[in-house]
Structures are given as C-alpha cells and as structure tokens.
C-alpha cells in the first residue's frame, strides 16, 4: 500500500454522498485513533465533539459558511462532523462521562490554560500542537478506510464555541473535519509528487 496515494484518496471538494451515514463504530475507531498520544504525551489536552444529527451539523455549517461567505461549505452533508477542541479551563468531573478518574497510561488531571486575553492566546497556541497531531492520525485513518474528508480551521471559534456551549465546559474549538462516503466524481485529481530534496534535508 502506498500511504501517499491512500491519504490523497480521502481528499474531497466539500461534497459527500447523501443518505449513506457511517457506522458509529467507525467514528469511535477514528476518534480513538486521534486520541492515541505519543509515548511522551502523558496528558490529553483535547476533547472531541462529534455531530451526527442534521440539526447539529447545520448549526456548525452555519458558523463555517458565515465565516467564509465566499466559499460556501457543505459540511452539513457529511455523515459526521468531528470538532477537535483544546482545554482552556480546569477539568470538571462531568466532562469525563463514564471514564475513570485516572485513565491507564495518562495522568488523572488535564492541564488548564487561563482564558485571559494574552495568556489565552499563548496557552491555546501550545494546546493546539497535540490537536493537529490528533487530526493527522484521524485523517490518515479515514484515508485507509477510503472515506471522504473535509478539514476546516478558518472559522469563527468564538461563534462556534457559543453555538455548542464549549466555553462553559472549558473547551475551545480548534479544527473540524467532515467525514463521510465519497460522492460520485468528487475525488480531487492527484497532486504531482514533489521531489523530496525540495522539502527534506538528510543529516
């Protein structure tokens, strides 16, 4: 298997096959893959919000479309929308659901970041690093399953946080990805591979 071809097969042009929802077991597997930390990453400074209902997807899509009116988005047609969030406040027991207080392999407490203006920006910048590591794992996992994906990070996070009630839970939306089956003819044409000497230096 060529992993570059595999990843490229998942890229779509904001269109998903309608009426073909993904099994919840697939979404669970992808989100679990996204949250597998690196060996040195002993904490989980992120949370995953999953929208599958039509109402939730339309609300998210409205935020994205309102932020980018020049580029209408079709995220609401995805089977699921996964919003990856950074933690900005102290952990609450209610956020853990059925998880035990101490998750095996991880510390019991999550790092908290203040929401004051200057400190918030610095904290969010640091918290976003593992978010994008998680996103990369999720996208590669989706590609291996031949799923269509659409990633969006240029949206009004304050608007989305208010829409989903994230701020009061101590979360901050960072990036989202739509997941679904490919619509007919929606695959992007393959990109020409770049010579490795343009972006890689061997030491």
């Amino acid at each position: 298997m060529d992993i570059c071809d595999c990843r490229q097969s998942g890229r779509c042009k904001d269109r998903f096959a309608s009426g073909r929802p993904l099994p919840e077991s697939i979404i669970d597997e992808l989100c679990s893959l996204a949250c597998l930390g690196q060996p040195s990453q002993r904490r989980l400074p992120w949370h995953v919000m999953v929208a599958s209902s039509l109402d939730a997807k339309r609300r998210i899509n409205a935020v994205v479309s309102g932020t980018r009116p020049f580029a209408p988005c079709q995220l609401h047609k995805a089977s699921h929308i996964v919003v990856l969030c950074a933690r900005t406040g102290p952990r609450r027991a209610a956020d853990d659901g059925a998880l035990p207080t101490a998750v095996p392999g991880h510390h019991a407490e999550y790092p908290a970041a203040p929401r004051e203006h200057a400190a918030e920006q610095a904290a969010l910048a640091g918290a976003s690093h593992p978010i994008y590591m998680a996103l990369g794992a999720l996208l590669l996992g989706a590609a291996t399953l031949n799923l269509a994906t659409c990633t969006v990070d240029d949206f009004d996070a304050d608007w989305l946080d208010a829409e989903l009630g994230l701020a009061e839970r101590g979360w901050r939306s960072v990036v989202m990805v739509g997941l679904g089956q490919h619509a007919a003819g929606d695959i992007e044409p393959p990109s020409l591979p770049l010579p490795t000497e343009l972006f890689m230096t061997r030491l």
Side-chain angles (χ1 to χ4, degrees):
M1 177 180 67
D2 188 312
I3 58 175
C4 291
D5 289 344
C6 181
R7 171 64 189 98
Q8 193 155 246
S9 69
R11 298 168 61 188
C12 71
K13 296 174 288 189
D14 291 358
R15 292 198 299 272
F16 298 89
S18 59
R20 297 173 60 191
L22 298 176
E24 292 298 331
S25 59
I26 294 295
I27 301 302
D28 291 350
E29 185 177 6
L30 291 174
C31 290
S32 296
L33 178 63
C35 290
L36 288 176
Q38 300 296 317
S40 61
Q41 184 67 33
R42 302 289 292 178
R43 297 173 183 263
L44 298 177
W46 63 75
H47 190 75
V48 180
M49 304 291 289
V50 180
S52 58
S53 69
L54 186 57
D55 176 67
K57 290 186 291 184
R58 282 177 172 168
R59 288 161 56 201
I60 294 173
N61 191 79
V63 173
V64 176
S65 297
T67 306
R68 310 186 310 169
F70 53 88
C73 186
Q74 300 293 318
L75 273 179
H76 65 286
K77 295 185 178 180
S79 171
H80 293 71
I81 301 175
V82 177
V83 183
L84 290 93
C85 309
R87 177 166 289 283
T88 60
R91 191 187 70 161
R92 303 187 318 165
D95 292 333
D96 294 335
L99 287 176
T101 301
V103 180
H106 297 277
H107 290 300
E109 292 299 323
Y110 297 85
R115 291 189 65 88
E116 289 78 19
H117 297 297
E120 178 187 4
Q121 296 302 317
L124 285 175
S128 295
H129 296 161
I131 295 290
Y132 281 94
M133 293 169 61
L135 174 66
L138 189 153
L139 291 176
L140 188 56
T144 61
L145 298 175
N146 194 33
L147 301 179
T149 59
C150 177
T151 305
V152 180
D153 62 0
D154 54 339
F155 57 88
D156 188 329
D158 290 331
W159 184 0
L160 184 63
D161 292 353
E163 187 70 33
L164 301 181
L166 299 180
E168 53 264 36
R169 297 185 61 188
W171 299 113
R172 174 72 167 182
S173 56
V174 176
V175 62
M176 68 180 76
V177 56
L179 297 164
Q181 301 285 357
H182 286 287
D186 193 46
I187 303 297
E188 285 189 351
S191 301
L192 294 176
L194 292 172
T196 54
E197 59 267 20
L198 290 181
F199 59 86
M200 182 173 66
T201 298
R202 298 182 184 277
L203 301 178

